[in-house]
Amino acid sequence: MLMKRLKERFKDMNNKLLFFVLLGVLIGIIVYAGTVTAIKATDTGEFCSSCHVMGTVYEAFTQSPHARLDCNDCHAPTDNVVNKMAFKARAGIGHIYMNTIGASQIPDVLHATDDSVDVINQNCISCHQYTIDNVAHDSKGTCIDCHRHVPHGLGIFKTSDWHLKLNIDAAK
Amino acid sequence: EDLTVDETEPLTDLSPDEYVNTAFKDAFPIHYESYLRNMGNGRPPVSKFIPDYEPYLPILFAGFPFEQEYNTTRGHPYAVEDVLSIARIGDRSIGSCMTCKSSTVTPLLKEFGDDYWSANFRGDIVPRMEELAAVGASEELGEFGHVSIGCSDCHDPVTMELRITRPSLTHALARQGIDVTEATRNEMRTYVCAQCHVEYYFEPELEKVRFPWDYGTKPEEMLHYFETTAIEEGFDYDYIHAVSGAPILKAQHPEYEMWSYGSHGRAEVSCADCHMPFERRDDRRKISSHFWASPLENIETSCRTCHSDKTERYLIDRVGDIQERHLEAVHEAQDLTVEAHYFVNRMITAGAPDDKIEQAQQYVREGQWYTDIIAAENSDGFHNPQGSMDTLRMASDASNNAIKLAIEELSNLNVDLGELRTEIENVKEAVLNEEDPFEKHTHATNNFFPAQN
Amino acid sequence: EDLTVDETEPLTDLSPDEYVNTAFKDAFPIHYESYLRNMGNGRPPVSKFIPDYEPYLPILFAGFPFEQEYNTTRGHPYAVEDVLSIARIGDRSIGSCMTCKSSTVTPLLKEFGDDYWSANFRGDIVPRMEELAAVGASEELGEFGHVSIGCSDCHDPVTMELRITRPSLTHALARQGIDVTEATRNEMRTYVCAQCHVEYYFEPELEKVRFPWDYGTKPEEMLHYFETTAIEEGFDYDYIHAVSGAPILKAQHPEYEMWSYGSHGRAEVSCADCHMPFERRDDRRKISSHFWASPLENIETSCRTCHSDKTERYLIDRVGDIQERHLEAVHEAQDLTVEAHYFVNRMITAGAPDDKIEQAQQYVREGQWYTDIIAAENSDGFHNPQGSMDTLRMASDASNNAIKLAIEELSNLNVDLGELRTEIENVKEAVLNEEDPFEKHTHATNNFFPAQN
Ligand SMILES: [Ca+2]
Ligand SMILES: [Ca+2]
């Protein structure tokens, strides 16, 4: 599978080359937006967590009640395909760029951008419409003002592999 | 049907002036059902004067109706019943005492206008309240539950929007520069409670219920208000203390005030977030709980919505820790303040100079304020652990200042301090050992410590 | 390759006895780089006796080396330099003073055995430390940074596992029933700091560094230890106070103790979580920061890992709020304790009965303990807002007890309390106005208040 091989490469390829390869892949995905499998594949936790920096959030996600969702059920617009693809492309290029050429600018702790928070909140609402129809649920700015731990804040501040090992990269 | 509170479209067929709780039952059956839980086990309230709670309160309140009866709380539907039967109500009690008890207050205010506040409680207010209560009674809510604190106190009966019905809050916030009509929904989820769960006093002109917040809501800021603005406007004190003769400010349930600068208040966690969490009733339907009680009964829905990384056990233990440390400090501050009152009493009987007595009384006034405002707060410190402890520290300091001054003056007068201390122990014993809570206060003064009021 | 900390496989080529910080540079260049940030701006430390900090400390410490010099802290690499130059070190200072300063302590303990603790600081310990420091110096770490608190104090040089190198901690935990070899990684992230950031005393037999935790880590529990077990084992006090003659316990940096029962300690948030957050160095590699400083410099990586729903501004304001309230209370407690010392001094000069003087001195001992343990804690209350405030409350109470007793006795002796108060103000003024921090303490006693030690 394309994705599997890509994932291998994430780990051992030269950064600059990786960036352009992935950029190409992404453009490919956008061009072939109709390919359901590609969209789906790049939505999953497995895909997102192929980047090391996604490790902690993935860990927390897998232990949350939402573990059976895909990341992009929350993290990309779900209202229509065009919006979704545009957001994914922008975010995807950003992430890949940052993970390769722009690595020195990666923040020490990731935080959702305001745009992300808006998108996510919209997705909470669309899935949980029934609950919030039933009782006015919008007294705070966003759902996560109360549901602070959905799904990344389950007290998991470091990935489990971090808890096990000294970081060899750091060590050398 | 959409129950969003933001829309101002009519949602019910009720009259805009509806004030009877049972009238809301048909439109909101599951809210009404939730409200019924406030009836609890139906047992009467318990005196706070028993040794397990705060045994020396009859001394601290000596000279004020509070010395006679002061109980643990019950659910909102009991508020009218409890205010009617409390021994604190006397022949000169006023309408203002109904303000935080009954949903008839809105119609009463409309009818009486500004005369409501100082109208005679038993002579004018209760009879009219009973007339208004002639409709809508229901066995499940007891004699007065249908007109006790209820739907119309917090909701517009037509739109069900949250609303403020007590002008005291609107007025107090306005004096802080806050326009309550501009409040966000999150703020309203606190303000509805802040209509009642606040420190208050009766301003002397019309005896309106007022909140002392011009300089802020911290105890020291409220004291500053009482020492300046309130005095300028003619309010000096609530009572002259029977033991020390000090001009005392009675402090009442400052839940809102302590919350406002505590960990959760600063984080904008509202009263309703903890005390009215969403609950599932009637299968799948969710509502805001209308059973106002300790959130420790509902940790899952209340605390763990936000603190889902913590276990129920952990949260109970944390609250327990905070409250235990807090209560120990409350009791120590109360002991010191009691002592201060008697030292000042002895200054008077021994003939200390007037200016020294006045100075000592001023310290006692301060010490009692800081002690009482924290003892009267109902979360046992949880709403604001650091702030409450800071206030108790100030309480000790002020009461100690009174005692220090007294020791100095009494020594100059060759008063036997050993005897004084023994007599204080005797008084405390007598109050503690008296079985009848209504009689406890009679032991606060005696031949050795004659009444000063 | 798995570099689990749990496994004890060798990770470096270093000797198991390596103690020089620069020796770790090659194996861990980016950690070393992070460590270098502790060199800060290179400016010398500042006296805490200046009016902006705690101007009356020279009075509170009168009679103890601390009266001479007590400074703000700097980074770990300065620890050796600072202990060598501090005026508190005298001819009779002992090896124990090096315990929390240098990575040579492990070899020193090995060489000297139990004689290390009471060995003469300048005569025995410093010369040997300097010999050990002959290798590995590096300009970027100054004269002694290469043997100041460093890698081998917290890490096994071969496996880089976290380890405890100071037997005082192992011993104190064992007495609490805790086997430190069983500690989880999360616990180790606190214990490595708890080797040093704790209250300590020198037990009298071998002058070993000991921690008074048998009954718990709260200030009142530590005081209980000092009043019982420590006295039974021969340790009565650190010094006789020059002003009051009271037997004083010096309190030191109880960061671990206050944390242990505060909001974060109870939630098992470790010291390293806040003070050693992940930082990205050298492109993508994340390491635990080895720059130990205020987390407020790194809110994004430190606090916001957990408090991601809060803004940086909000967190700074919350900490500021807590600290401001706290510091005001610290200053008030210090003022009261200073006053207590002078009142007791006057009892002595006026010839009050010995048993009353002793009783008053006991109160002062208690008041000073509670004041000092909180003033000496370095987070200005943040590590435990409620607990710290509770302790300050006890501080006020105890100091007030001393003052009350003194007023009683002094009045009996017809001492002029007005004059006494004026003289206290004069002493405080003199200490405040003295420009040279090293001379301030000389004004703590004078003709009116003769030294009592
Ligand atoms: Ca009041
Ligand atoms: Ca000590």
Side-chain angles (χ1 to χ4, degrees), chain C residues 99-118:
Chain C
T99 311
C100 301
K101 307 292 178 280
S102 171
S103 59
T104 63
V105 170
T106 307
L108 286 170
L109 270 169
K110 219 168 180 176
E111 289 177 25
F112 284 73
D114 266 355
D115 293 337
Y116 159 80
W117 311 98
S118 59

Side-chain angles (χ1 to χ4, degrees), chain B residues 199-201 226 238 249-252 369:
Chain B
E199 154 63 6
Y200 69 88
Y201 71 105
F226 281 123
D238 285 296
L249 300 164
K250 177 74 191 83
Q252 284 99 347
W369 166 256

Side-chain angles (χ1 to χ4, degrees), chain C residues 199-201 226 238 250-252 369:
Chain C
E199 155 63 5
Y200 69 87
Y201 72 106
F226 281 123
D238 284 297
K250 178 73 191 83
Q252 284 99 347
W369 166 257

Side-chain angles (χ1 to χ4, degrees), chain B residues 265-285:
Chain B
R266 282 286 155 91
E268 295 171 20
V269 178
S270 71
C271 312
D273 288 342
C274 295
H275 288 278
M276 301 181 67
F278 298 138
E279 61 179 16
R280 197 189 304 270
R281 297 196 75 79
D282 177 19
D283 275 9
R284 285 168 307 168
R285 290 230 248 149

Side-chain angles (χ1 to χ4, degrees), chain B residues 209-250:
Chain B
V209 173
R210 281 265 172 95
F211 310 152
W213 301 342
D214 287 13
Y215 306 108
T217 52
K218 300 195 183 115
E220 58 273 29
E221 291 165 338
M222 292 194 275
L223 180 60
H224 180 67
Y225 175 92
F226 281 123
E227 298 299 13
T228 58
T229 308
I231 291 181
E232 280 153 31
E233 296 182 357
F235 176 84
D236 293 310
Y237 54 79
D238 285 296
Y239 65 106
I240 293 297
H241 200 279
V243 176
S244 62
I248 298 292
L249 300 164
K250 177 74 191 83

Side-chain angles (χ1 to χ4, degrees), chain B residues 302-331:
Chain B
S302 166
C303 322
R304 291 200 68 239
T305 302
C306 297
H307 297 282
S308 51
D309 56 336
K310 301 290 184 303
T311 63
E312 181 165 349
R313 181 77 260 148
Y314 173 87
L315 290 163
I316 291 181
D317 287 349
R318 275 306 288 150
V319 175
D321 253 27
I322 291 169
Q323 292 185 331
E324 198 183 314
R325 185 165 312 121
H326 175 90
L327 286 176
E328 211 178 300
V330 168
H331 289 131

